[in-house]
Amino acid sequence: MPLRVWSLAFFLVAIFSPVSAVAQSSVDKPDPPAVDISLVPRVVSNSGSKILWEDPQFFSSPYGRPLTMSLDGENFFLRVSVTVFPQDSRYLLVVQQEVVGKKDGHGHMKTSVQSLLCTPGDRLVFYPFGRDDLKNNQELLLEIMVQPHDKSH
Amino acid sequence: MKTELYLLSAHADREVGPPWDQEIQRRIETDPVWAREWQTHQKVKAALAGLKDPAELEASQKQVRDRLEAFIEIKQNPIRHENTRLNFVRLLTTAAVFGLIVGGFGYWMGSHAASASASTVAEVHVKLPANYTPPLNGDSELIKMTSFEGSTR
Amino acid sequence: MTGEPGDYNDFSKVYDAWFPLLFRIVYRMTGRRDISEEVAQEAFIKYYERRDILPKDEGLKYWLIRVVRNLALNYEKRKGRERRAVERHFHEPTHETGHEGERALVREETIQEVQAALLKLPYNLRIVLILKEYGGFAYAEIGKMLGITEGNVKVRVFRARNQLAQLLGKEGT
């Protein structure tokens, strides 16, 4: 008789411990992704008619989570964070950047924050150093596109 | 049958039988519009014929074959578990010990997760080409390409 | 243009007979070796899993083509919008800067230019043209594979070649 009681007790512990663990962990489950975001940094020339370099990156993310791209350049470090918030049927895109110059050890820093309302599939372009009006110079841009999350990916 | 211009393409592919092929040929020889279209289609066919099989075809064929053979091997020889005779006490004791371990681990994981931030930042690092050294004093811009609506700060 | 497997019950023979065809078609559709390998592999996995119920004749070839067509279309949907947006903005300087005369000159295309021009065709025109030019299929076969009429195939091939001609600057003079 005592053996059966002990066995039953162990059995109940075996059943309920994993259940409680699952319940505990589900409280802290991360938010499911809401949007698919493509961030494509490019170096272009001739007013964008020629692509010299690019490195496309793709993310799935819940709203409100910043996606950060750190770009290591020859004479600068650049950090761009993109955060998407829902706004009615559109997206509010917030782009923050920090630029640190690498020059003789005296880096200067510049920050900016911008935001834009867009609809799914809109093509947004972020120019960290502004648009180049001199057609022969190269310029860096970050192409951003936000779409509803596709669960089949 | 009214001979439509689009049949020129089929004629170039020898997909038009008599007597329509003769009618098309006559049009090519007498009608400048047909003659011009015929030249266009011949040039395009020649350009497309210039695309030979990709050089990687053989290597890809071998690579995919290797992967498929591994897949078939797994399908044909799944891992089989021997049936073990378990008596009641052994089963319960094993379940209890396992449950305690899993439950304890799960609880520990759960308490660990509670302390981490739910909004973990997703970050990528990208190295830019060495020959890109922009002036760092420009103002960043965020624009929407479809309507050139923008935000500048 | 395509060999037959000889023994339709031998997976290895079917693979060797038709992998080049499938790879070639997807490669022309996407321009990507990795995608072509992935799609061809997926098609043969699907074939392996269904080999007992699939046709054991030329119908199998058409079935495989339909599978890679659908898989390539899925890839197209995933990547196509971004790629078209890039090309619309960055690869049409002639429309913005008025250099139409340069495009009308007769010039030798590189292989990359022809492949790039193929990728710019709308999917429905591109698949038909590629099945014709690189699959060696008759219009009737293409219609059967894609579930469209032979007349539709003829119109699409015509339109595809016309658009390609414009992209390559090959209008007849």
Side-chain angles (χ1 to χ4, degrees):
Chain A
M1 190 65 99
L3 183 60
R4 285 191 190 178
V5 171
W6 278 113
S7 301
L8 184 62
F10 275 125
F11 186 72
L12 289 171
V13 168
I15 293 294
F16 287 108
S17 298
V19 167
S20 73
V22 167
Q24 173 76 18
S25 62
S26 71
V27 169
D28 307 307
K29 215 161 49 170
D31 294 330
V35 285
D36 291 338
I37 304 171
S38 75
L39 297 181
V40 185
R42 281 199 188 97
V43 176
V44 300
S45 68
N46 297 339
S47 297
S49 62
K50 198 170 175 188
I51 298 177
L52 304 174
W53 168 93
E54 66 175 5
D55 191 359
Q57 307 287 339
F58 303 98
F59 305 86
S60 292
S61 175
Y63 293 121
R65 185 175 85 161
L67 300 171
T68 303
M69 181 173 282
S70 298
L71 296 115
D72 186 1
E74 183 68 15
N75 62 330
F76 65 90
F77 280 118
L78 170 65
R79 238 170 144 241
V80 181
S81 285
V82 176
T83 315
V84 180
F85 299 94
Q87 185 122 344
D88 302 321
S89 58
R90 297 198 281 173
Y91 299 128
L92 175 65
L93 202 79
V94 177
V95 179
Q96 299 165 272
Q97 80 158 8
E98 296 168 19
V99 182
V100 178
K102 302 176 188 177
K103 191 178 175 183
D104 304 324
H106 304 296
H108 69 272
M109 189 160 155
K110 198 169 173 183
T111 62
S112 69
V113 178
Q114 289 158 52
S115 62
L116 200 61
L117 271 177
C118 64
T119 48
D122 271 349
R123 198 165 142 258
L124 304 165
V125 183
F126 178 66
Y127 295 88
F129 305 119
R131 274 188 279 186
D132 177 36
D133 287 330
L134 303 173
K135 293 190 189 313
N136 292 324
N137 279 8
Q138 301 171 9
E139 61 186 357
L140 173 68
L141 61 91
L142 181 65
E143 186 188 279
I144 306 167
M145 193 181 290
V146 185
Q147 299 182 74
H149 176 59
D150 183 348
K151 290 190 182 65
S152 63
H153 286 185
Chain B
M1 175 177 97
K2 183 180 168 191
T3 315
E4 303 285 354
L5 191 61
Y6 74 88
L7 288 174
L8 257 179
S9 209
H11 184 58
D13 292 328
R14 296 195 171 85
E15 289 265 1
V16 182
W20 316 118
D21 57 339
Q22 290 154 19
E23 171 62 16
I24 291 169
Q25 196 58 40
R26 187 188 68 76
R27 292 277 191 109
I28 290 168
E29 285 158 10
T30 58
D31 187 327
V33 171
W34 282 70
R36 192 168 61 246
E37 283 289 339
W38 177 249
Q39 268 193 36
T40 297
H41 282 266
Q42 293 294 88
K43 284 180 185 174
V44 168
K45 276 186 74 74
L48 289 171
L51 289 185
K52 303 297 174 209
D53 272 347
E56 308 92 338
L57 191 149
E58 244 184 75
S60 291
Q61 185 163 357
K62 183 183 180 314
Q63 217 161 344
V64 173
R65 183 191 293 117
D66 291 344
R67 290 183 217 144
L68 287 172
E69 280 172 359
F71 167 80
I72 292 170
E73 172 67 28
I74 291 168
K75 279 279 183 181
Q76 288 178 342
N77 300 296
I79 298 167
R80 294 187 196 284
H81 298 280
E82 282 183 18
N83 284 333
T84 315
R85 264 194 76 209
L86 298 171
N87 64 37
F88 185 66
V89 171
R90 275 191 202 167
L91 175 65
L92 285 180
T93 310
T94 307
V97 171
F98 182 72
L100 279 170
I101 294 170
V102 169
F105 183 69
Y107 187 82
W108 175 79
M109 284 287 289
S111 62
H112 227 67
S115 59
S117 166
S119 59
T120 310
V121 171
E123 185 159 353
V124 292
H125 299 271
V126 171
K127 182 95 178 103
L128 287 162
N131 58 357
Y132 175 64
T133 52
L136 306 181
N137 52 357
D139 287 328
S140 59
E141 282 184 69
L142 175 64
I143 62 172
K144 194 192 310 183
M145 291 313 291
T146 43
S147 63
F148 291 98
E149 175 187 322
S151 151
T152 312
R153 221 171 289 177
Chain C
M1 212 174 196
T2 63
E4 296 303 318
D7 180 1
Y8 284 90
N9 289 309
D10 188 329
F11 178 82
S12 185
K13 287 195 171 133
V14 170
Y15 175 81
D16 285 335
W18 287 334
F19 176 89
L21 171 68
L22 299 184
F23 183 87
R24 186 187 303 131
I25 287 170
V26 184
Y27 190 86
R28 293 294 164 227
M29 285 298 294
T30 64
R32 296 269 302 263
R33 174 188 174 178
D34 54 342
I35 301 298
S36 307
E37 282 183 8
E38 192 183 305
V39 167
Q41 180 179 312
E42 187 60 34
F44 279 104
I45 286 177
K46 286 181 189 292
Y47 159 58
Y48 181 81
E49 290 171 339
R50 294 160 183 75
R51 64 196 186 285
D52 294 333
I53 58 172
L54 288 174
K56 291 198 172 21
D57 54 26
E58 272 220 327
L60 177 56
K61 181 165 57 178
Y62 301 150
W63 184 87
L64 283 166
I65 300 270
R66 275 197 294 272
V67 168
V68 300
R69 185 270 309 258
N70 291 336
L71 291 171
L73 180 58
N74 289 344
Y75 165 76
E76 184 87 4
K77 283 178 181 171
R78 278 206 311 271
K79 297 288 187 283
R81 194 180 298 174
E82 181 195 320
R83 200 174 342 116
R84 279 195 294 277
V86 167
E87 287 158 358
R88 223 177 10 248
H89 185 69
F90 290 117
H91 289 181
E92 294 182 347
T94 56
H95 295 290
E96 290 165 1
T97 62
H99 289 170
E100 298 289 346
E102 290 176 23
R103 289 178 66 78
L105 288 174
V106 173
R107 56 191 172 95
E108 215 173 59
E109 293 80 23
T110 61
I111 289 170
Q112 288 82 6
E113 282 171 335
V114 178
Q115 177 65 50
L118 255 183
L119 293 177
K120 289 177 192 174
L121 289 180
Y123 177 87
N124 281 345
L125 300 186
R126 195 183 336 143
I127 182 70
V128 170
L129 187 62
I130 284 171
L131 286 174
K132 182 65 208 161
E133 296 283 356
Y134 302 107
F137 294 105
Y139 284 14
E141 291 181 294
I142 295 172
K144 220 187 310 184
M145 279 188 277
L146 302 184
I148 57 178
T149 64
E150 192 178 330
N152 213 328
V153 174
K154 286 175 184 167
V155 170
R156 289 190 193 187
V157 171
F158 176 79
R159 284 183 186 158
R161 287 191 179 133
N162 263 342
Q163 283 197 30
L164 210 53
Q166 285 170 40
L167 290 165
L168 294 171
K170 280 197 157 323
E171 286 92 338
T173 50

